[in-house]
Amino acid sequence: MEIISSYNLIIEVSLIIIFSFFFNGISKRTNIPAVLMLIVLGVVLQYGLKFAKVGEMNFFPILELLGIVGLIMIVLEAALELELKREKLMPILKSMAVALIGLVASAWIAALILYQFIPTMTMQSAWLYATPLSILSSAIIIPSVTGLKENKKEFHIYESTFSDIIGIMMFYFLTGKLNPAEDSGVIGFTGNLILTIVIALVASYAIIMIFQHIKGNVKLFLLIAVLLLLYAVGKKMHLSSLIIILIFGLVIANMKLFFQGKLVKYLDFKKAHHIYHELHTITAETAFVVRTFFFVIFGLTIAITSLFNLNVALISTLIILSIYAIRYVLLLIFVGKDVIPQLFIAPRGLITVLLFYAIPVEAQIAEFNQGILLFVIIGTSLIMTFAMIYDKRRSTKAIDLAKSRKVGSVSWKAPTID
């Protein structure tokens, strides 16, 4: 029987999406990230293909494409949910500080660990390998924190989104250092960032003003195509393209804030809000599908046996411990003593995998075992799972205790004196 044929592919793709839907349901009940279940499904399919004696297949081009589109959709989905209000300025700044300092500190410690334990590792390559391992996964965090209190949920959405964007900028800044002829330095990097923000704002205003006047029902995928085009062209121009996506999402989600003064007359709020509402739905659906296939294909490509390598386990464990040690200190400083479950919500995922495969050939180290990548992803995801389960049980006990006290106070009556 041919496994790779038209009708078989339709069946396989459909079944994977159905499984992913059920995984999401299981995730909501158990707090086990759906991503882990998708990776396991990919590993099962990997061994299934080997059993069926299907030849070696190169999944990397598909994985890379899905990773890029998934990243865009996830950041856009997060941006569409963020409200920019004066009272939210401090939470935004705090989450940005935790994301930035946590990223740099985690990458620095991870680079030192890799440099120490891998003999042929240079410090420059160590930083390039450490950066993907230090970026939070919004692909895992955003769907997982829906049950938390509003302030904690918003903190994680902001933090993971900032971590993605800053992490990608940092990674490509480091890759630029590999080629001195193309390295523009800190000043050039800052100028690039300012140019990106200006282009993003101009493009966002233009897209909203144009699309609100487009008649017909088939325009949302046209809008997504425009955003993908802006992202790809921005990458070709060496801009921080993800900022374009983030700013567009923030502008359309906060139109009344961005369209003020003379700009108000150019906005048909009713039509633009309708576009926002439909875009929110289609972005969430697209992110779900892309995320599903990305992690299943990642499961198809990994060597699960590398997890049982002692050196891999030692390096990965040290990196994981450093992640939570740094995070604990930062949360105490910026958030306060109530750091559960925020401390343990620090999984690695889509960005980690995507950037790992983007490490330039001249910086790649043959002795680096990909099992470290897998170990850190699975380890941080499992730790987050246990923390979320603990927090859910703690919240349930607190609610039950409050109810029992309320019932007790109502049922108690003062004794009467005859």
Side-chain angles (χ1 to χ4, degrees):
M1 182 181 73
E2 279 191 39
I3 292 174
I4 312 299
S5 66
S6 300
Y7 292 112
N8 284 343
L9 278 174
I10 291 171
I11 292 168
E12 289 151 11
V13 165
S14 302
L15 284 173
I16 288 170
I17 292 173
I18 292 167
F19 275 122
S20 183
F21 176 80
F22 283 112
F23 290 163
N24 272 3
I26 295 168
S27 179
K28 286 177 182 176
R29 288 191 177 91
T30 63
N31 289 115
I32 298 171
V35 165
L36 283 183
M37 291 181 261
L38 290 170
I39 292 173
V40 170
L41 176 61
V43 172
V44 171
L45 290 175
Q46 178 188 145
Y47 284 96
L49 289 173
K50 286 180 180 177
F51 180 78
K53 295 181 180 179
V54 175
E56 289 291 323
M57 298 175 66
N58 182 17
F59 289 105
F60 175 68
I62 303 172
L63 192 68
E64 185 180 26
L65 179 62
L66 286 172
I68 293 167
V69 176
L71 175 61
I72 294 168
M73 291 295 108
I74 289 161
V75 170
L76 181 58
E77 182 187 10
L80 291 172
E81 292 186 6
L82 299 179
E83 290 182 89
L84 297 179
K85 294 179 180 178
R86 186 171 293 177
E87 60 268 26
K88 292 186 178 180
L89 180 61
M90 282 309 295
I92 290 172
L93 291 175
K94 284 181 180 180
S95 60
M96 184 185 287
V98 173
L100 175 60
I101 300 170
L103 172 71
V104 175
S106 297
W108 176 51
I109 299 299
L112 290 175
I113 292 168
L114 294 173
Y115 182 73
Q116 185 67 36
F117 285 91
I118 300 175
T120 57
M121 182 71 73
T122 64
M123 186 51 76
Q124 191 174 31
S125 291
W127 270 93
L128 276 169
Y129 277 94
T131 300
L133 293 168
S134 305
I135 301 172
L136 297 171
S137 174
S138 56
I140 299 176
I141 290 173
I142 292 172
S144 301
V145 298
T146 51
L148 295 181
K149 292 178 182 177
E150 193 61 29
N151 63 323
K152 291 186 177 183
K153 184 177 94 170
E154 281 193 342
F155 171 81
H156 287 300
I157 291 173
Y158 283 120
E159 185 200 14
S160 59
T161 305
F162 286 134
S163 182
D164 282 355
I165 293 167
I166 298 169
I168 290 169
M169 290 167 60
M170 178 174 156
F171 179 82
Y172 285 107
F173 176 74
L174 291 170
T175 56
K177 294 288 181 184
L178 292 171
N179 188 350
E182 295 181 4
D183 182 23
S184 57
V186 176
I187 295 172
F189 181 76
T190 306
N192 177 291
L193 181 59
I194 294 169
L195 178 62
T196 304
I197 292 170
V198 171
I199 291 172
L201 285 170
V202 172
S204 298
Y205 280 113
I207 289 169
I208 292 170
M209 287 188 285
I210 292 169
F211 272 80
Q212 69 184 359
H213 296 298
I214 294 177
K215 294 180 181 179
N217 297 322
V218 187
K219 59 184 176 184
L220 287 175
F221 273 106
L222 174 63
L223 176 54
I224 289 173
V226 170
L227 292 175
L228 291 173
L229 178 65
L230 283 171
Y231 180 90
V233 171
K235 275 293 178 189
K236 290 287 185 181
M237 294 170 63
H238 304 290
L239 300 175
S240 303
S241 294
L242 210 58
I243 291 177
I244 298 173
I245 306 300
L246 175 68
I247 289 177
F248 170 76
L250 290 174
V251 171
I252 197 169
N254 301 272
M255 286 179 283
K256 288 184 177 179
L257 175 65
F258 285 93
F259 283 84
Q260 293 189 18
K262 292 182 181 179
L263 288 171
V264 173
K265 64 180 180 181
Y266 297 108
L267 178 69
D268 186 331
F269 182 75
K270 190 176 179 181
K271 288 181 180 178
H273 185 72
H274 181 67
I275 294 172
Y276 161 76
H277 179 73
E278 290 190 327
L279 182 63
H280 199 291
T281 303
I282 201 167
T283 301
E285 296 278 354
T286 308
F288 164 75
V289 173
V290 173
R291 186 165 51 227
T292 293
F293 287 103
F294 178 86
F295 285 107
V296 169
I297 291 174
F298 177 61
L300 277 164
T301 60
I302 59 177
I304 200 73
T305 52
S306 62
L307 289 176
F308 305 104
N309 183 304
L310 187 61
N311 197 44
V312 165
L314 175 61
I315 293 170
S316 304
T317 302
L318 288 173
I319 290 173
I320 291 171
L321 288 174
S322 69
I323 287 169
Y324 294 112
I326 292 164
R327 188 168 178 78
Y328 179 67
V329 174
L330 289 175
L331 289 176
L332 281 180
I333 295 169
F334 290 100
V335 177
K337 292 182 179 179
D338 182 18
V339 296
I340 303 295
Q342 299 98 298
L343 170 61
F344 301 106
I345 300 178
R348 275 49 179 163
L350 189 149
I351 306 290
T352 302
V353 177
L354 189 61
L355 292 186
F356 173 77
Y357 286 116
I359 294 173
V361 175
E362 60 267 31
Q364 289 178 13
I365 304 297
E367 285 76 13
F368 181 88
N369 194 316
Q370 292 187 24
I372 296 169
L373 194 74
L374 182 59
F375 198 106
V376 172
I377 290 172
I378 292 176
T380 51
S381 296
L382 287 175
I383 289 168
M384 185 188 81
T385 300
F386 295 133
M388 295 288 280
I389 292 170
Y390 169 77
D391 185 66
K392 193 173 182 179
R393 287 178 180 173
R394 186 180 63 162
S395 300
T396 305
K397 284 181 181 178
I399 293 167
D400 291 342
L401 184 61
K403 284 181 180 178
S404 64
R405 283 178 178 174
K406 188 176 180 181
V407 171
S409 64
V410 171
S411 62
W412 183 83
K413 290 183 180 180
T416 56
I417 302 173
D418 294 329

